[in-house]
Amino acid sequence: MVPVNWWVLPWWILASAAGYAVGGAIESAAGPLEGVTVIGYVTAGGAAAAVLQWLALRRHVARAGHWIGTAIVGGAVVAVVSILAGVLAGLAAGAVGDAEAGRAFGEDVAGVSAAILYGIAVGMLQGRLLRRHFARAGRWVLVSAVGWIVAGLTAGVTEGVAGWAVLGAVYGALTGGVLVALLRQTPDETPAGEE
């Protein structure tokens, strides 16, 4: 394992900001963020961020290439669950009211559930990868979930690509601190058989 250099945290923040800015660029080109469209934009930005984050991880984590897959698979799982939640909510709302209002409500439910679940789903998959190499990697799931929610709340500071970059930078700063702590563990702190 390569010693952790000072540049890992700033690189992680920059990688996260630049990657999620891709989601903003897609939003700018394809249309405003509405309902279920959040799923595609978040998954695209998350995959781009994962590619850039992999550059920081590859010298410290064996099979770091799986990091990219965690973002794609996590996004796909969130898409299925969120769309299902949106369809069910839309059908229920349409059954008691107007069908068009039910459809709009279902899209909103899908978008909000995607925003909440993305950090959890990706964090769980990434946490599995990190647990193979580091003790106390379980906290990754919590920081990913909280980091995504906090980042989502701060993204509204500005709009468009800049807003997505802010989202990524906040998420990167929160998760990057935990990542550096994990990377700084000594070999006797690593899980048994993983040294």
Side-chain angles (χ1 to χ4, degrees), residues 10 23 26-27 36 38 41 44 46 50 53 79 81 87-90 98 103 118 123 126 139 149 166 185 190 192:
I26 293 170
E27 178 188 15
V36 294
V38 70
Y41 300 159
Q53 291 167 344
V81 170
V87 167
L88 293 175
D98 157 316
R103 187 187 68 72
Y118 185 78
Q126 291 172 343
R139 57 187 159 170
I149 292 168
V166 168
Q185 289 181 12
T190 58

Short mmCIF file of all heavy atoms in Angstrom, two decimals, residues 10 23 26-27 36 38 41 44 46 50 53 79 81 87-90 98 103 118 123 126 139 149 166 185 190 192:
data_model
loop_
_atom_site.label_atom_id
_atom_site.label_comp_id
_atom_site.label_asym_id
_atom_site.label_seq_id
_atom_site.Cartn_x
_atom_site.Cartn_y
_atom_site.Cartn_z
N PRO A 10 -7.71 17.03 -1.15
CA PRO A 10 -8.12 18.01 -2.17
C PRO A 10 -8.46 17.37 -3.51
O PRO A 10 -9.38 17.81 -4.20
CB PRO A 10 -6.90 18.93 -2.31
CG PRO A 10 -5.95 18.56 -1.26
CD PRO A 10 -6.40 17.30 -0.61
N GLY A 23 -23.24 15.87 -14.20
CA GLY A 23 -24.69 15.79 -14.06
C GLY A 23 -25.36 17.13 -14.34
O GLY A 23 -26.41 17.20 -14.98
N ILE A 26 -25.35 17.77 -18.10
CA ILE A 26 -26.40 16.99 -18.76
C ILE A 26 -27.75 17.66 -18.53
O ILE A 26 -28.57 17.77 -19.43
CB ILE A 26 -26.40 15.53 -18.28
CG1 ILE A 26 -25.12 14.84 -18.75
CG2 ILE A 26 -27.63 14.78 -18.75
CD1 ILE A 26 -24.89 13.48 -18.14
N GLU A 27 -27.97 18.14 -17.31
CA GLU A 27 -29.21 18.85 -17.00
C GLU A 27 -29.34 20.10 -17.88
O GLU A 27 -30.41 20.39 -18.42
CB GLU A 27 -29.27 19.26 -15.53
CG GLU A 27 -30.51 20.05 -15.18
CD GLU A 27 -30.49 20.62 -13.78
OE1 GLU A 27 -29.42 20.65 -13.15
OE2 GLU A 27 -31.57 21.05 -13.32
N VAL A 36 -38.48 12.33 -12.06
CA VAL A 36 -37.61 11.18 -12.28
C VAL A 36 -36.33 11.53 -13.03
O VAL A 36 -35.39 10.73 -13.02
CB VAL A 36 -38.34 10.03 -13.00
CG1 VAL A 36 -39.44 9.47 -12.14
CG2 VAL A 36 -38.87 10.47 -14.35
N VAL A 38 -34.10 13.38 -12.17
CA VAL A 38 -33.00 13.46 -11.19
C VAL A 38 -32.20 12.16 -11.17
O VAL A 38 -30.99 12.18 -10.98
CB VAL A 38 -33.53 13.82 -9.77
CG1 VAL A 38 -34.31 12.68 -9.17
CG2 VAL A 38 -32.39 14.20 -8.85
N TYR A 41 -29.57 12.17 -14.04
CA TYR A 41 -28.54 13.19 -13.83
C TYR A 41 -27.61 12.80 -12.67
O TYR A 41 -26.39 12.95 -12.77
CB TYR A 41 -29.17 14.55 -13.54
CG TYR A 41 -30.05 15.09 -14.66
CD1 TYR A 41 -31.00 16.06 -14.39
CD2 TYR A 41 -29.95 14.63 -15.96
CE1 TYR A 41 -31.82 16.57 -15.40
CE2 TYR A 41 -30.76 15.12 -16.98
CZ TYR A 41 -31.69 16.09 -16.69
OH TYR A 41 -32.49 16.59 -17.68
N ALA A 44 -25.42 9.77 -13.74
CA ALA A 44 -24.35 10.21 -14.65
C ALA A 44 -23.27 10.97 -13.90
O ALA A 44 -22.07 10.72 -14.08
CB ALA A 44 -24.94 11.07 -15.77
N GLY A 46 -22.66 10.81 -10.67
CA GLY A 46 -22.02 9.88 -9.74
C GLY A 46 -21.01 8.98 -10.44
O GLY A 46 -19.93 8.70 -9.90
N ALA A 50 -17.09 8.93 -9.75
CA ALA A 50 -16.44 7.67 -9.38
C ALA A 50 -15.20 7.41 -10.23
O ALA A 50 -14.19 6.91 -9.72
CB ALA A 50 -17.42 6.51 -9.49
N GLN A 53 -12.65 9.75 -8.80
CA GLN A 53 -12.26 9.30 -7.46
C GLN A 53 -11.36 8.06 -7.55
O GLN A 53 -10.46 7.89 -6.74
CB GLN A 53 -13.51 8.99 -6.63
CG GLN A 53 -14.32 10.22 -6.26
CD GLN A 53 -15.69 9.86 -5.72
OE1 GLN A 53 -16.19 8.74 -5.87
NE2 GLN A 53 -16.33 10.83 -5.09
N ALA A 79 -32.66 3.83 -9.12
CA ALA A 79 -33.62 4.13 -10.19
C ALA A 79 -34.82 3.20 -10.12
O ALA A 79 -35.97 3.66 -10.15
CB ALA A 79 -32.94 4.01 -11.56
N VAL A 81 -35.93 1.32 -7.53
CA VAL A 81 -36.70 1.51 -6.30
C VAL A 81 -37.47 2.83 -6.34
O VAL A 81 -38.66 2.88 -5.97
CB VAL A 81 -35.76 1.46 -5.06
CG1 VAL A 81 -36.48 1.88 -3.80
CG2 VAL A 81 -35.18 0.05 -4.91
N VAL A 87 -44.36 5.25 -8.96
CA VAL A 87 -45.53 4.67 -9.62
C VAL A 87 -46.60 4.35 -8.58
O VAL A 87 -47.78 4.68 -8.76
CB VAL A 87 -45.14 3.42 -10.44
CG1 VAL A 87 -46.37 2.62 -10.85
CG2 VAL A 87 -44.32 3.82 -11.66
N LEU A 88 -46.20 3.70 -7.49
CA LEU A 88 -47.17 3.35 -6.44
C LEU A 88 -47.80 4.59 -5.82
O LEU A 88 -49.03 4.65 -5.61
CB LEU A 88 -46.50 2.48 -5.37
CG LEU A 88 -46.06 1.09 -5.84
CD1 LEU A 88 -45.30 0.36 -4.74
CD2 LEU A 88 -47.24 0.28 -6.32
N ALA A 89 -46.97 5.61 -5.53
CA ALA A 89 -47.50 6.84 -4.95
C ALA A 89 -48.43 7.55 -5.95
O ALA A 89 -49.48 8.07 -5.57
CB ALA A 89 -46.36 7.77 -4.55
N GLY A 90 -48.04 7.55 -7.22
CA GLY A 90 -48.87 8.18 -8.24
C GLY A 90 -50.20 7.48 -8.42
O GLY A 90 -51.24 8.13 -8.56
N ASP A 98 -57.35 13.40 -8.93
CA ASP A 98 -57.21 13.52 -10.39
C ASP A 98 -55.97 12.75 -10.87
O ASP A 98 -54.93 12.75 -10.23
CB ASP A 98 -57.13 15.03 -10.62
CG ASP A 98 -56.48 15.50 -11.86
OD1 ASP A 98 -55.43 14.99 -12.23
OD2 ASP A 98 -57.04 16.43 -12.46
N ARG A 103 -50.03 11.57 -11.29
CA ARG A 103 -48.80 11.36 -12.05
C ARG A 103 -47.71 12.32 -11.61
O ARG A 103 -46.56 11.93 -11.39
CB ARG A 103 -49.06 11.52 -13.54
CG ARG A 103 -47.87 11.16 -14.41
CD ARG A 103 -48.08 11.48 -15.87
NE ARG A 103 -48.14 12.90 -16.15
CZ ARG A 103 -47.09 13.74 -16.11
NH1 ARG A 103 -45.91 13.29 -15.76
NH2 ARG A 103 -47.24 15.00 -16.40
N TYR A 118 -29.81 7.60 -2.90
CA TYR A 118 -28.56 7.47 -3.66
C TYR A 118 -27.34 7.33 -2.73
O TYR A 118 -26.53 6.43 -2.91
CB TYR A 118 -28.38 8.66 -4.61
CG TYR A 118 -27.17 8.49 -5.49
CD1 TYR A 118 -27.22 7.66 -6.60
CD2 TYR A 118 -25.98 9.13 -5.21
CE1 TYR A 118 -26.10 7.48 -7.41
CE2 TYR A 118 -24.86 8.96 -6.01
CZ TYR A 118 -24.93 8.13 -7.11
OH TYR A 118 -23.84 7.95 -7.89
N GLY A 123 -23.19 4.22 -0.89
CA GLY A 123 -22.37 4.07 0.31
C GLY A 123 -22.27 2.62 0.77
O GLY A 123 -21.21 2.16 1.20
N GLN A 126 -19.94 0.85 -1.79
CA GLN A 126 -18.56 1.30 -1.59
C GLN A 126 -18.02 0.82 -0.24
O GLN A 126 -16.85 0.47 -0.12
CB GLN A 126 -18.47 2.82 -1.70
CG GLN A 126 -18.72 3.31 -3.10
CD GLN A 126 -18.84 4.81 -3.19
OE1 GLN A 126 -19.05 5.51 -2.19
NE2 GLN A 126 -18.70 5.34 -4.39
N ARG A 139 -18.40 3.01 8.78
CA ARG A 139 -18.88 4.40 8.89
C ARG A 139 -19.00 5.06 7.53
O ARG A 139 -19.62 6.12 7.41
CB ARG A 139 -17.97 5.20 9.81
CG ARG A 139 -16.53 5.23 9.40
CD ARG A 139 -15.67 5.89 10.44
NE ARG A 139 -14.29 5.47 10.24
CZ ARG A 139 -13.29 6.01 10.85
NH1 ARG A 139 -13.49 6.96 11.72
NH2 ARG A 139 -12.08 5.59 10.62
N ILE A 149 -27.18 13.89 1.52
CA ILE A 149 -28.32 14.74 1.92
C ILE A 149 -27.86 16.16 2.19
O ILE A 149 -28.45 17.13 1.70
CB ILE A 149 -29.05 14.13 3.14
CG1 ILE A 149 -29.73 12.82 2.71
CG2 ILE A 149 -30.06 15.10 3.72
CD1 ILE A 149 -30.25 11.98 3.84
N VAL A 166 -21.00 22.39 -6.57
CA VAL A 166 -21.09 22.64 -5.12
C VAL A 166 -21.53 21.36 -4.41
O VAL A 166 -20.95 20.96 -3.40
CB VAL A 166 -22.04 23.81 -4.80
CG1 VAL A 166 -22.37 23.87 -3.31
CG2 VAL A 166 -21.43 25.13 -5.27
N GLN A 185 -4.78 4.29 8.25
CA GLN A 185 -4.69 3.19 9.20
C GLN A 185 -3.38 2.44 9.01
O GLN A 185 -2.90 2.28 7.89
CB GLN A 185 -5.85 2.22 9.01
CG GLN A 185 -7.17 2.79 9.46
CD GLN A 185 -8.30 1.79 9.27
OE1 GLN A 185 -8.09 0.61 9.01
NE2 GLN A 185 -9.52 2.26 9.40
N THR A 190 -5.79 -3.14 9.84
CA THR A 190 -6.57 -3.64 8.70
C THR A 190 -7.25 -4.94 9.09
O THR A 190 -6.81 -5.64 10.00
CB THR A 190 -5.67 -3.88 7.47
OG1 THR A 190 -4.66 -4.80 7.82
CG2 THR A 190 -5.08 -2.58 6.97
N ALA A 192 -8.37 -8.78 9.36
CA ALA A 192 -7.55 -10.00 9.33
C ALA A 192 -7.51 -10.56 7.92
O ALA A 192 -8.52 -10.65 7.25
CB ALA A 192 -8.12 -11.02 10.30
#
